[in-house]
Amino acid sequence: SRCLAFGTPVHVLGQHHSTDPPARPTLAVAQRRLFAAAMARPVSSWPSHQMDSPTDFAVRRLSTTLEKRGTEVDTRLSDVPEAKPPGWGLDGDALHHAIPPERWAVTRQDLRQLRRDLRRAVQVGLLHPTDPGAKHPDLFDTHDDVIGPNMYTAVRGYIKPLTAEAGRMSWALLQHPEGLACDIFATHGWAEGAFEFIDRVLESWPHGRS
């Protein structure tokens, strides 16, 4: 099967570090923790009456938590003891030293799931337009499903919080800690919309490959 790696200094799929959240997390931090926990839940484990994306679980759980605790919540990943992605809880630094960068790759299915999760992240407010005066302004339309937030916004608001919770590894190694042989390489601009970029890659994917 064919797997993909990205061109720019592997920040979308590469290594991310962030500071630990405060003991009493703000609503934004709590949302990210809930989102990370929901992302760790495999679709196959969902009861048939639930929607097929694990991110919907984050929305429901966030609503319930906010009703009980107000706008500041203290949520732990252990509150959702579900199965984690293969790389969850591993030492990210060790993985980055053990697995060569050419094996930090993802599959087409990984990209499809990422697009769904980024869309849901916009819907629940994890990803939102930034001020025109910001370092990397992003005035994307939250109702748009064609362009989407740019890569700066997607990495800062989604990829970094998720991988920080998981063990500080790349998103690619979180999905495939053993690495994947890569024979497709895509370059892209960080100001490009994430939805548009993912859709273009998927449309260009070699026929019959996963």
Side-chain angles (χ1 to χ4, degrees):
S1 65
R2 291 182 178 270
C3 300
L4 172 76
F6 296 97
T8 57
V10 209
H11 284 303
V12 173
L13 301 178
Q15 188 171 0
H16 298 293
H17 298 288
S18 64
T19 58
D20 293 329
R24 284 286 291 180
T26 62
L27 173 59
V29 172
Q31 284 179 315
R32 289 168 183 163
R33 287 187 172 186
L34 289 167
F35 210 75
M39 278 298 301
R41 188 175 190 181
V43 174
S44 60
S45 71
W46 281 62
S48 58
H49 69 276
Q50 293 181 326
M51 299 181 71
D52 62 357
S53 172
T55 56
D56 290 300
F57 172 72
V59 179
R60 286 192 298 272
R61 186 170 177 81
L62 178 60
S63 299
T64 301
T65 304
L66 293 180
E67 288 175 3
K68 292 180 178 179
R69 305 186 183 183
T71 58
E72 253 195 358
V73 293
D74 185 12
T75 304
R76 301 282 187 266
L77 286 177
S78 57
D79 290 343
V80 190
E82 303 293 344
K84 303 292 191 293
W88 195 279
L90 298 179
D91 185 326
D93 288 335
L95 280 178
H96 286 119
H97 282 92
I99 308 299
E102 61 267 25
R103 292 184 61 84
W104 300 357
V106 297
T107 66
R108 181 169 56 178
Q109 185 56 41
D110 292 332
L111 287 182
R112 286 173 174 162
Q113 184 62 51
L114 177 61
R115 194 197 193 286
R116 288 192 291 268
D117 295 328
L118 290 176
R119 184 69 186 123
R120 291 297 286 160
V122 171
Q123 292 172 343
V124 302
L126 291 179
L127 302 179
H128 51 79
T130 57
D131 188 274
K135 183 178 180 180
H136 302 293
D138 189 4
L139 302 178
F140 73 94
D141 181 354
T142 57
H143 300 289
D144 169 59
D145 193 43
V146 177
I147 305 299
N150 65 33
M151 302 306 291
Y152 294 106
T153 300
V155 168
R156 180 181 61 251
Y158 178 74
I159 297 290
K160 282 186 176 181
L162 179 68
T163 55
E165 291 282 353
R168 302 164 71 88
M169 72 286 288
S170 71
W171 188 79
L173 291 181
L174 175 61
Q175 312 303 318
H176 306 281
E178 74 287 355
L180 292 174
C182 176
D183 51 11
I184 302 174
F185 187 82
T187 61
H188 63 95
W190 275 59
E192 181 178 11
F195 300 163
E196 180 182 43
F197 169 62
I198 293 175
D199 289 344
R200 294 288 178 86
V201 171
L202 293 175
E203 290 168 3
S204 304
W205 205 279
H207 181 68
R209 302 292 184 175
S210 60

